[in-house]
Every structure is written in structure tokens, then in C-alpha cells.
Amino acid sequence: QVQLVESGGGLVQPGGSLRLSCTASGSSLSIYAVGWYRKAPGNQRELVAVIPFVGTTIYADSVKGRFTVARDNAENMVSLQMNSLKSEDTAVYYCNAVDPQWGTNYWGKGTLVTVSS
């Protein structure tokens, strides 16, 4: 079982950058597929990006070219670098990890990102 904690959210102006972190405990995150999702007020939760155990990282069209996901296995962490932020990026961002053996989904509690001038 893995526990996930997101951090790095906050208030940023349009055009600015933030880096979110998803730090794991209880298991090595390196063997999990890890996804970042977000939920804006009044909207359903949506996929932002997924970095698989092996293969190509997938990004939502709305964030391609602006957001980058990366693993740091030494820190047991996956980051989400967000550049050129827009007001529509405002949301609570959640980290998700999928157990490679059983397919169990694990979620963090989320971190709020607010893009506003």
C-alpha cells in the first residue's frame, strides 16, 4: 500500500510557474503508474498527465507544451512542473498511483492551485 501527499500549490499570476510534488510512503513509487488529475469548481475531475511504469508520458491537450511530469526515484516522488499558467488551470490537483499488480488506485488529498492576478 502506498500513501501519497501532494505539495507545492499556491497562488500564482497568469503566465507564472509552479512545481507540484507527489511524495510517496509505504512503497516505491517507481513501479507505479502515476497520474496527476485536477478538479475545478463546478467541473468534473480531469486527467492532466500520466507517467506510466514504462512507456510514454501522456498529457491532456490543454496542458501539452506547458506542463511536464518527471520521476525522482531517489526521493520517491513525482513532480508536475507547470509553466505559462492560465486562469483555467485553477483547480485542486491530485496525485494518483495505480498498483501494478492489483490495479488498486491510491489518491492523495490534493493541493490547491489558484491562477489569478
Side-chain angles (χ1 to χ4, degrees):
Q1 191 170 4
V2 64
Q3 293 79 43
L4 304 172
V5 177
E6 302 93 338
S7 61
L11 173 64
V12 62
Q13 292 186 344
S17 298
L18 278 178
R19 181 174 178 266
L20 306 184
S21 296
C22 173
T23 303
S25 60
S27 184
S28 172
L29 206 53
S30 65
I31 62 171
Y32 289 72
V34 178
W36 283 97
Y37 292 76
R38 66 187 181 187
K39 187 179 185 307
N43 291 355
Q44 292 188 343
R45 186 170 58 193
E46 64 175 357
L47 174 69
V48 175
V50 175
I51 182 166
F53 171 56
V54 292
T56 304
T57 300
I58 298 170
Y59 295 92
D61 287 343
S62 58
V63 307
K64 278 182 183 177
R66 300 188 298 123
F67 290 12
T68 304
V69 178
R71 291 186 183 271
D72 184 339
N73 292 334
E75 297 293 328
N76 207 23
M77 182 263 286
V78 171
S79 63
L80 178 67
Q81 178 67 42
M82 306 186 295
N83 299 327
S84 302
L85 282 161
K86 306 175 182 179
S87 58
E88 51 262 44
D89 295 318
T90 295
V92 178
Y93 284 71
Y94 298 90
C95 177
N96 166 267
V98 181
D99 184 295
Q101 183 175 7
W102 304 107
T104 306
N105 275 270
Y106 298 95
W107 292 92
K109 293 184 177 180
T111 185
L112 175 63
V113 172
T114 303
V115 184
S116 175
S117 55

